[in-house]
Amino acid sequence: MAASRPAAAAPSGVLKICGLEQILEALKLLLSPGGSGSSSLQNTKHDVLLETLKSNLSALEAKLLKDAQWENLKALRDQIANQAEWPQSSNGITWSFTSQTLLLLLCLKEIMTRLSADFNPGKPNPRTAEAAPALSPDTLSVSQQKTVQSVLQFVVTLGVCPYLMPGVGVPLRDRTEFGAVVQDVVRLEAAPHATRRLYICCRVLLDLAQHASLGSLIFCRHFGDIAAGLCQLGFCPTKRKPAVTVEEVLTEEERTLSRRALRDILDQVYQPLAVRELLILQGGPPQSSTDVKTQLRCRSPAWLRRLCGQLLSERLMRPNGVQAVVRGILEGAGAGAAGGSDAEATAADWRKCDLIAKILASCPQQSLSPESYYKDICPQILDLFHLQDKLTARQFQRVATTTFITMFRERPDLAAQYLLQPMLAPLQRCLNTAEIPESDMAPGTVLVTEEELSRCVEDVFKVYVVANEPLPVLLDSLLPLLRVFFSLFCFTQQSVSHIRSLCQEILLWILVKLERKKAIASLKGFSGLDKAVPALHPQCQFRAATHGGIVITVKEAISDDEDEALYQKVSSEQSQMEHLGDLLLHCQQCGLAGDFFIFCLKELACLLEDSEAEFTPKPSCYASLLELEQHQTLLIEDQERKLLVLQLLAVLCERMSEQIFTHITQVVDFVAATLQRACAGLAHEAESTVGSQTLSMSMGLVAVMLGGAVQLKSSDFAVLKQLLPLLEKVSNTYPNPVIQELAADLRITISTHGAFSTEAVSTAAQSTLNKKDPEGNIEEQRPTSHDTSTEGAQNRPEQEEQKPPRTGQGSSEPCTATSQPPGNITTEQLREVLLSACDPQVPTRAAALRTLSRWVEQREARALEEQKKLLQIFLENLEHEDSFVYLSAIQGVALLSDVYPEEILVDLLFKYDSGKDKHTPETRMKVGEVLMRVVRALGDMVSKYQEPLIHTFLRGVKDPDAAHRASSLSNLGELCQRLHFLLGPVVHEVTACLIAVAKTDTDVQVRRAAIHVVVLLLRGLSQQATEVLSDVLKDLYHLLKHVVRLEPDDVAKLHAQLALEELDEIMRNFLFPPQKLEKKIVVLP
């Protein structure tokens, strides 16, 4: 308080003699126990307490009067008592005891102040070793602090708590049993008045708190009681009582001083402590009583609740006030200042988080307007997301997310302006719709730092994914940034980054929570089909940062090489498509992947119709070159869109599983899109084999549903009726009679809700269900596959009746043989499959090669009898340009070599070692792939053929073709990795070859392959490398160091670094083998 000091400064001579020990001894004398407290009778406890207080006071007075060493202390006490402004004597023993205790505490403060003022430590000697600084003489030891704390507890218990009004603070009776005894022995009617006593105690305690050491002891334990007393003294409504004398009534100045002192200590103490104590005062618990009326009277009075609410609002509006309020509530729940052991339980207490959120979201009356309140509070709420301590951060983030959602529910406009926009600002200023200042457009300028971007992504993850509240305002606010998040997600897939999983979770969450139309529109933006979706600014780019994050910078100067720019664009689009497929792989269960796949099919049908219907006029039709250029630009954009759609469908067909469709509606939409595309092809007389196969497969899928594979309801038939017009059109216009008949039968079955079904529908359903994979297991129908087995099942009746010439559509016999069990194929089936392997239609030829490969793998006797013919067919198909065909041929040759390695390996090595004049480089590369698979398949048996293999590969390293040299080195690495100790006789030749190639070859791919061989060699030999490579290990080490120092190619350097790490691990294990703690136990007979 700002009142006058209770005592003047004592003479220095007194202070020289009177020390801290004497005052603390006097305080101990006041606290010494007396009497017997063992009786259980209540009145005995009262008498014992009063008798103890009286005897201790008498003992203190006697000590001061009789002991000559205490004369200076008595003089100091008397001097302070004369300066005091309150009566020390009273009819009540409790007040007399409290008064004497306060006087001794004032003496203690006076002596500590003077000792501190006279303390002048000497300057440390810089030449001597560093020592601890001298301790101030007013410092209290641990035992002395305990004594002072006990004295302060007595003062508060006897001088403050008994005089608080009911409902102000925690009642003394509810604290301890001793508190109930004190409440009974205090005489409120004795002079001075109770309010005056409370004022005196609070004033003296605040005077003592001006000393730093005493202030920490006072406010640490008794801040709540002192604050309650000041609230009562300064803000309690006054009542007129004529019988009260003037001296016992507080003046207006004293009330003003009390109010000012309350605000001073609230600003002075630890703010969470102030918040917690104010909350306790505001909701003071009722005193124990069985009477309901008494309980209501013991609640906090209305004036105190209003006062605490006002003070809490002031705490909230201060700088860092939000953290103070949150800490005050959470630490009061038992979490502790740094989280504590109960932090996890507190974080899970959603009710408490909701309470804090409601407090923070409610605009207090002291605020000028809700907008000004949100402007001050929202930055502090965002700061709650960025605490470093893990346990505390977990609680605060829960509170912040709950407050975020609560504010958006109550005031979405203000929350979006002051919460969401600052959080998303780092990404918003890099959109292609934003205006970047010219000063920031210098190449290499960092627009968004690593910390800003990481914080933005983490905050979005916490607000959206962790909170999991799909409010429309939140979803719509993030829509413009989804394309940027997807680009960021694609960039994180290129390297290791801690925000990769966060970006993926954000994208998956919002795609699932969005309305399906908006989700599809977002996916269109991801794939590049919708150019109107906001994306990253064309002059901005992502770059890896130093701490595992990402920064956004301005692009460097664009290279003049158009081919390089085109390559970068195509590769970027391809990687984005692949990442989009990975993202949709997680969206199959919710149906989003199926809906987007159907959208792509419909988009493809529309593009095909537009391309057939468009008219390309001659250049002479244009009035100017500008119009011609615009037309050409539109044509290029249309072609790009078609390529994007085809690329999307290819990625989805490759990545999605059979469960892409989750309900009947999606299957019907897929079939409808297929039928529409077939009808569009018929309108332009553009029938194709693939189109016929897809149409048969889709109608077979409908037949399966109608055949009982799915339990259909009446609502499902209502959806299926959407196919009736399309089926009618197919049945009337399609040239294939089998498909016409099946379409008509399906239309009848759907119209009758399955009451009537023809044999054709049952046959189509059974054929679709009987389709098997190469292992012989029934697989579910994939709508994107172009397998010919279903087409063959549909066309079999037609072939039996009409026997038309062999075409790609009708040659399905290879796939019909897949249903035969092993060992049961006939000569006729083998002949038909061999003929199909030479069919000009790619699907038929590839299916036949796959069938032959499976028969070889199953060791079919009739197939193995035609070994030479099979080898000739496989080798001829190696030269085919279609990857589906030559990869099937590669697999067949590898499987056949596994069965007859001696006969076939010689032919393969001769074919691989031949020059360009005999075989094309592509064919030799394919043979090299076969040899690699053969080496892997032989395993340990490859040692039998090591000499011809090694010699062939070493000769291939000298080939003029760089691609063949790289292929030979790759095969050599695979071979050396499996030879182990058998590599010894040729280790010098292999090493010399690798060193020469790595140092002298002009092609970077060949040098990379050579270094990669060293990596495979060390990785395959592992701990055996020190034995097998003992003679050349030093040469390999020098080679790797040479590559790391002088090689200009970064990839080759990376391979060399990996090899050095392998070599380092090998040598460490060789020099310092792991210690095995084993104990041998022998069982005696």
PDB file of all heavy atoms in Angstrom, residues 23-47:
ATOM      1  N   ILE A  23      15.927 -11.896  16.202  1.00  0.00           N
ATOM      2  CA  ILE A  23      14.517 -11.738  15.804  1.00  0.00           C
ATOM      3  C   ILE A  23      13.912 -13.098  15.470  1.00  0.00           C
ATOM      4  O   ILE A  23      12.777 -13.402  15.848  1.00  0.00           O
ATOM      5  CB  ILE A  23      14.410 -10.780  14.613  1.00  0.00           C
ATOM      6  CG1 ILE A  23      14.953  -9.411  15.006  1.00  0.00           C
ATOM      7  CG2 ILE A  23      12.984 -10.673  14.106  1.00  0.00           C
ATOM      8  CD1 ILE A  23      14.887  -8.390  13.912  1.00  0.00           C
ATOM      9  N   LEU A  24      14.640 -13.929  14.748  1.00  0.00           N
ATOM     10  CA  LEU A  24      14.111 -15.246  14.412  1.00  0.00           C
ATOM     11  C   LEU A  24      13.940 -16.100  15.661  1.00  0.00           C
ATOM     12  O   LEU A  24      13.007 -16.898  15.757  1.00  0.00           O
ATOM     13  CB  LEU A  24      15.040 -15.942  13.422  1.00  0.00           C
ATOM     14  CG  LEU A  24      15.072 -15.295  12.022  1.00  0.00           C
ATOM     15  CD1 LEU A  24      16.187 -15.890  11.184  1.00  0.00           C
ATOM     16  CD2 LEU A  24      13.730 -15.490  11.315  1.00  0.00           C
ATOM     17  N   GLU A  25      14.822 -15.923  16.643  1.00  0.00           N
ATOM     18  CA  GLU A  25      14.653 -16.659  17.902  1.00  0.00           C
ATOM     19  C   GLU A  25      13.399 -16.191  18.627  1.00  0.00           C
ATOM     20  O   GLU A  25      12.660 -16.991  19.215  1.00  0.00           O
ATOM     21  CB  GLU A  25      15.889 -16.467  18.774  1.00  0.00           C
ATOM     22  CG  GLU A  25      15.875 -17.328  20.042  1.00  0.00           C
ATOM     23  CD  GLU A  25      17.142 -17.154  20.857  1.00  0.00           C
ATOM     24  OE1 GLU A  25      18.071 -16.478  20.364  1.00  0.00           O
ATOM     25  OE2 GLU A  25      17.180 -17.689  21.981  1.00  0.00           O
ATOM     26  N   ALA A  26      13.146 -14.860  18.591  1.00  0.00           N
ATOM     27  CA  ALA A  26      11.926 -14.344  19.201  1.00  0.00           C
ATOM     28  C   ALA A  26      10.687 -14.878  18.492  1.00  0.00           C
ATOM     29  O   ALA A  26       9.669 -15.218  19.132  1.00  0.00           O
ATOM     30  CB  ALA A  26      11.941 -12.816  19.162  1.00  0.00           C
ATOM     31  N   LEU A  27      10.736 -14.969  17.149  1.00  0.00           N
ATOM     32  CA  LEU A  27       9.596 -15.526  16.415  1.00  0.00           C
ATOM     33  C   LEU A  27       9.394 -16.997  16.751  1.00  0.00           C
ATOM     34  O   LEU A  27       8.250 -17.469  16.873  1.00  0.00           O
ATOM     35  CB  LEU A  27       9.826 -15.356  14.913  1.00  0.00           C
ATOM     36  CG  LEU A  27       9.800 -13.910  14.380  1.00  0.00           C
ATOM     37  CD1 LEU A  27      10.190 -13.871  12.905  1.00  0.00           C
ATOM     38  CD2 LEU A  27       8.410 -13.302  14.569  1.00  0.00           C
ATOM     39  N   LYS A  28      10.479 -17.745  16.903  1.00  0.00           N
ATOM     40  CA  LYS A  28      10.350 -19.145  17.319  1.00  0.00           C
ATOM     41  C   LYS A  28       9.721 -19.259  18.697  1.00  0.00           C
ATOM     42  O   LYS A  28       8.936 -20.188  18.965  1.00  0.00           O
ATOM     43  CB  LYS A  28      11.722 -19.824  17.318  1.00  0.00           C
ATOM     44  CG  LYS A  28      12.287 -20.110  15.949  1.00  0.00           C
ATOM     45  CD  LYS A  28      13.621 -20.828  16.057  1.00  0.00           C
ATOM     46  CE  LYS A  28      14.211 -21.133  14.696  1.00  0.00           C
ATOM     47  NZ  LYS A  28      15.519 -21.830  14.805  1.00  0.00           N
ATOM     48  N   LEU A  29      10.059 -18.317  19.570  1.00  0.00           N
ATOM     49  CA  LEU A  29       9.489 -18.336  20.918  1.00  0.00           C
ATOM     50  C   LEU A  29       7.970 -18.134  20.870  1.00  0.00           C
ATOM     51  O   LEU A  29       7.219 -18.773  21.625  1.00  0.00           O
ATOM     52  CB  LEU A  29      10.139 -17.246  21.770  1.00  0.00           C
ATOM     53  CG  LEU A  29       9.741 -17.190  23.257  1.00  0.00           C
ATOM     54  CD1 LEU A  29      10.081 -18.507  23.952  1.00  0.00           C
ATOM     55  CD2 LEU A  29      10.447 -16.038  23.947  1.00  0.00           C
ATOM     56  N   LEU A  30       7.507 -17.278  19.968  1.00  0.00           N
ATOM     57  CA  LEU A  30       6.058 -17.084  19.832  1.00  0.00           C
ATOM     58  C   LEU A  30       5.377 -18.339  19.281  1.00  0.00           C
ATOM     59  O   LEU A  30       4.209 -18.598  19.583  1.00  0.00           O
ATOM     60  CB  LEU A  30       5.775 -15.906  18.898  1.00  0.00           C
ATOM     61  CG  LEU A  30       5.923 -14.500  19.484  1.00  0.00           C
ATOM     62  CD1 LEU A  30       5.638 -13.471  18.412  1.00  0.00           C
ATOM     63  CD2 LEU A  30       4.987 -14.306  20.671  1.00  0.00           C
ATOM     64  N   LEU A  31       6.085 -19.107  18.499  1.00  0.00           N
ATOM     65  CA  LEU A  31       5.468 -20.283  17.866  1.00  0.00           C
ATOM     66  C   LEU A  31       5.692 -21.560  18.642  1.00  0.00           C
ATOM     67  O   LEU A  31       5.228 -22.616  18.213  1.00  0.00           O
ATOM     68  CB  LEU A  31       6.030 -20.468  16.450  1.00  0.00           C
ATOM     69  CG  LEU A  31       5.804 -19.315  15.466  1.00  0.00           C
ATOM     70  CD1 LEU A  31       6.373 -19.682  14.107  1.00  0.00           C
ATOM     71  CD2 LEU A  31       4.333 -18.989  15.344  1.00  0.00           C
ATOM     72  N   SER A  32       6.403 -21.501  19.776  1.00  0.00           N
ATOM     73  CA  SER A  32       6.703 -22.727  20.513  1.00  0.00           C
ATOM     74  C   SER A  32       5.411 -23.342  21.029  1.00  0.00           C
ATOM     75  O   SER A  32       4.521 -22.658  21.520  1.00  0.00           O
ATOM     76  CB  SER A  32       7.649 -22.426  21.677  1.00  0.00           C
ATOM     77  OG  SER A  32       7.057 -21.469  22.535  1.00  0.00           O
ATOM     78  N   PRO A  33       5.210 -24.676  20.894  1.00  0.00           N
ATOM     79  CA  PRO A  33       3.975 -25.330  21.355  1.00  0.00           C
ATOM     80  C   PRO A  33       3.907 -25.336  22.869  1.00  0.00           C
ATOM     81  O   PRO A  33       4.921 -25.368  23.576  1.00  0.00           O
ATOM     82  CB  PRO A  33       4.094 -26.739  20.787  1.00  0.00           C
ATOM     83  CG  PRO A  33       5.563 -26.971  20.637  1.00  0.00           C
ATOM     84  CD  PRO A  33       6.171 -25.639  20.313  1.00  0.00           C
ATOM     85  N   GLY A  34       2.684 -25.321  23.371  1.00  0.00           N
ATOM     86  CA  GLY A  34       2.458 -25.367  24.824  1.00  0.00           C
ATOM     87  C   GLY A  34       1.150 -26.043  25.125  1.00  0.00           C
ATOM     88  O   GLY A  34       0.249 -26.130  24.291  1.00  0.00           O
ATOM     89  N   GLY A  35       0.999 -26.506  26.351  1.00  0.00           N
ATOM     90  CA  GLY A  35      -0.234 -27.178  26.737  1.00  0.00           C
ATOM     91  C   GLY A  35      -0.307 -28.569  26.130  1.00  0.00           C
ATOM     92  O   GLY A  35       0.619 -29.083  25.528  1.00  0.00           O
ATOM     93  N   SER A  36      -1.435 -29.215  26.279  1.00  0.00           N
ATOM     94  CA  SER A  36      -1.673 -30.568  25.763  1.00  0.00           C
ATOM     95  C   SER A  36      -2.819 -30.530  24.792  1.00  0.00           C
ATOM     96  O   SER A  36      -3.916 -30.109  25.132  1.00  0.00           O
ATOM     97  CB  SER A  36      -1.979 -31.528  26.928  1.00  0.00           C
ATOM     98  OG  SER A  36      -2.289 -32.797  26.419  1.00  0.00           O
ATOM     99  N   GLY A  37      -2.547 -30.972  23.602  1.00  0.00           N
ATOM    100  CA  GLY A  37      -3.601 -31.002  22.588  1.00  0.00           C
ATOM    101  C   GLY A  37      -4.100 -32.392  22.314  1.00  0.00           C
ATOM    102  O   GLY A  37      -4.685 -32.650  21.270  1.00  0.00           O
ATOM    103  N   SER A  38      -3.900 -33.327  23.217  1.00  0.00           N
ATOM    104  CA  SER A  38      -4.298 -34.710  22.975  1.00  0.00           C
ATOM    105  C   SER A  38      -5.757 -34.965  23.262  1.00  0.00           C
ATOM    106  O   SER A  38      -6.291 -35.989  22.887  1.00  0.00           O
ATOM    107  CB  SER A  38      -3.436 -35.652  23.829  1.00  0.00           C
ATOM    108  OG  SER A  38      -3.620 -35.334  25.199  1.00  0.00           O
ATOM    109  N   SER A  39      -6.427 -34.086  23.979  1.00  0.00           N
ATOM    110  CA  SER A  39      -7.845 -34.313  24.317  1.00  0.00           C
ATOM    111  C   SER A  39      -8.687 -34.160  23.073  1.00  0.00           C
ATOM    112  O   SER A  39      -8.404 -33.380  22.187  1.00  0.00           O
ATOM    113  CB  SER A  39      -8.311 -33.321  25.382  1.00  0.00           C
ATOM    114  OG  SER A  39      -9.700 -33.506  25.630  1.00  0.00           O
ATOM    115  N   SER A  40      -9.761 -34.918  22.985  1.00  0.00           N
ATOM    116  CA  SER A  40     -10.658 -34.880  21.842  1.00  0.00           C
ATOM    117  C   SER A  40     -11.811 -33.924  22.038  1.00  0.00           C
ATOM    118  O   SER A  40     -12.617 -33.756  21.138  1.00  0.00           O
ATOM    119  CB  SER A  40     -11.197 -36.294  21.556  1.00  0.00           C
ATOM    120  OG  SER A  40     -11.934 -36.756  22.675  1.00  0.00           O
ATOM    121  N   LEU A  41     -11.943 -33.298  23.242  1.00  0.00           N
ATOM    122  CA  LEU A  41     -13.046 -32.380  23.477  1.00  0.00           C
ATOM    123  C   LEU A  41     -12.760 -31.056  22.801  1.00  0.00           C
ATOM    124  O   LEU A  41     -11.651 -30.532  22.871  1.00  0.00           O
ATOM    125  CB  LEU A  41     -13.244 -32.172  24.981  1.00  0.00           C
ATOM    126  CG  LEU A  41     -13.630 -33.440  25.784  1.00  0.00           C
ATOM    127  CD1 LEU A  41     -13.742 -33.104  27.256  1.00  0.00           C
ATOM    128  CD2 LEU A  41     -14.923 -34.035  25.276  1.00  0.00           C
ATOM    129  N   GLN A  42     -13.826 -30.486  22.153  1.00  0.00           N
ATOM    130  CA  GLN A  42     -13.637 -29.261  21.396  1.00  0.00           C
ATOM    131  C   GLN A  42     -13.275 -28.090  22.306  1.00  0.00           C
ATOM    132  O   GLN A  42     -12.403 -27.293  21.979  1.00  0.00           O
ATOM    133  CB  GLN A  42     -14.930 -28.952  20.605  1.00  0.00           C
ATOM    134  CG  GLN A  42     -14.811 -27.823  19.618  1.00  0.00           C
ATOM    135  CD  GLN A  42     -13.944 -28.188  18.438  1.00  0.00           C
ATOM    136  OE1 GLN A  42     -13.636 -29.358  18.237  1.00  0.00           O
ATOM    137  NE2 GLN A  42     -13.525 -27.183  17.693  1.00  0.00           N
ATOM    138  N   ASN A  43     -13.932 -27.945  23.428  1.00  0.00           N
ATOM    139  CA  ASN A  43     -13.624 -26.811  24.300  1.00  0.00           C
ATOM    140  C   ASN A  43     -12.214 -26.910  24.869  1.00  0.00           C
ATOM    141  O   ASN A  43     -11.557 -25.911  25.123  1.00  0.00           O
ATOM    142  CB  ASN A  43     -14.654 -26.704  25.439  1.00  0.00           C
ATOM    143  CG  ASN A  43     -14.733 -28.014  26.244  1.00  0.00           C
ATOM    144  OD1 ASN A  43     -14.083 -29.006  25.917  1.00  0.00           O
ATOM    145  ND2 ASN A  43     -15.541 -28.006  27.305  1.00  0.00           N
ATOM    146  N   THR A  44     -11.707 -28.120  25.037  1.00  0.00           N
ATOM    147  CA  THR A  44     -10.340 -28.281  25.513  1.00  0.00           C
ATOM    148  C   THR A  44      -9.351 -27.768  24.471  1.00  0.00           C
ATOM    149  O   THR A  44      -8.361 -27.107  24.811  1.00  0.00           O
ATOM    150  CB  THR A  44     -10.061 -29.755  25.828  1.00  0.00           C
ATOM    151  OG1 THR A  44     -11.038 -30.229  26.758  1.00  0.00           O
ATOM    152  CG2 THR A  44      -8.674 -29.933  26.413  1.00  0.00           C
ATOM    153  N   LYS A  45      -9.638 -28.024  23.197  1.00  0.00           N
ATOM    154  CA  LYS A  45      -8.752 -27.532  22.140  1.00  0.00           C
ATOM    155  C   LYS A  45      -8.756 -26.009  22.118  1.00  0.00           C
ATOM    156  O   LYS A  45      -7.719 -25.369  21.919  1.00  0.00           O
ATOM    157  CB  LYS A  45      -9.204 -28.081  20.789  1.00  0.00           C
ATOM    158  CG  LYS A  45      -9.010 -29.582  20.640  1.00  0.00           C
ATOM    159  CD  LYS A  45      -9.451 -30.044  19.272  1.00  0.00           C
ATOM    160  CE  LYS A  45      -9.257 -31.553  19.127  1.00  0.00           C
ATOM    161  NZ  LYS A  45      -9.685 -32.039  17.811  1.00  0.00           N
ATOM    162  N   HIS A  46      -9.919 -25.413  22.305  1.00  0.00           N
ATOM    163  CA  HIS A  46      -9.984 -23.949  22.345  1.00  0.00           C
ATOM    164  C   HIS A  46      -9.156 -23.406  23.489  1.00  0.00           C
ATOM    165  O   HIS A  46      -8.382 -22.446  23.327  1.00  0.00           O
ATOM    166  CB  HIS A  46     -11.436 -23.489  22.482  1.00  0.00           C
ATOM    167  CG  HIS A  46     -12.291 -23.902  21.312  1.00  0.00           C
ATOM    168  ND1 HIS A  46     -13.668 -23.844  21.357  1.00  0.00           N
ATOM    169  CD2 HIS A  46     -11.972 -24.382  20.084  1.00  0.00           C
ATOM    170  CE1 HIS A  46     -14.151 -24.263  20.187  1.00  0.00           C
ATOM    171  NE2 HIS A  46     -13.131 -24.600  19.412  1.00  0.00           N
ATOM    172  N   ASP A  47      -9.326 -24.012  24.673  1.00  0.00           N
ATOM    173  CA  ASP A  47      -8.599 -23.533  25.844  1.00  0.00           C
ATOM    174  C   ASP A  47      -7.095 -23.710  25.677  1.00  0.00           C
ATOM    175  O   ASP A  47      -6.305 -22.838  26.073  1.00  0.00           O
ATOM    176  CB  ASP A  47      -9.076 -24.284  27.097  1.00  0.00           C
ATOM    177  CG  ASP A  47     -10.542 -24.000  27.399  1.00  0.00           C
ATOM    178  OD1 ASP A  47     -11.055 -22.968  26.889  1.00  0.00           O
ATOM    179  OD2 ASP A  47     -11.177 -24.821  28.079  1.00  0.00           O
TER     180      ASP A  47
END
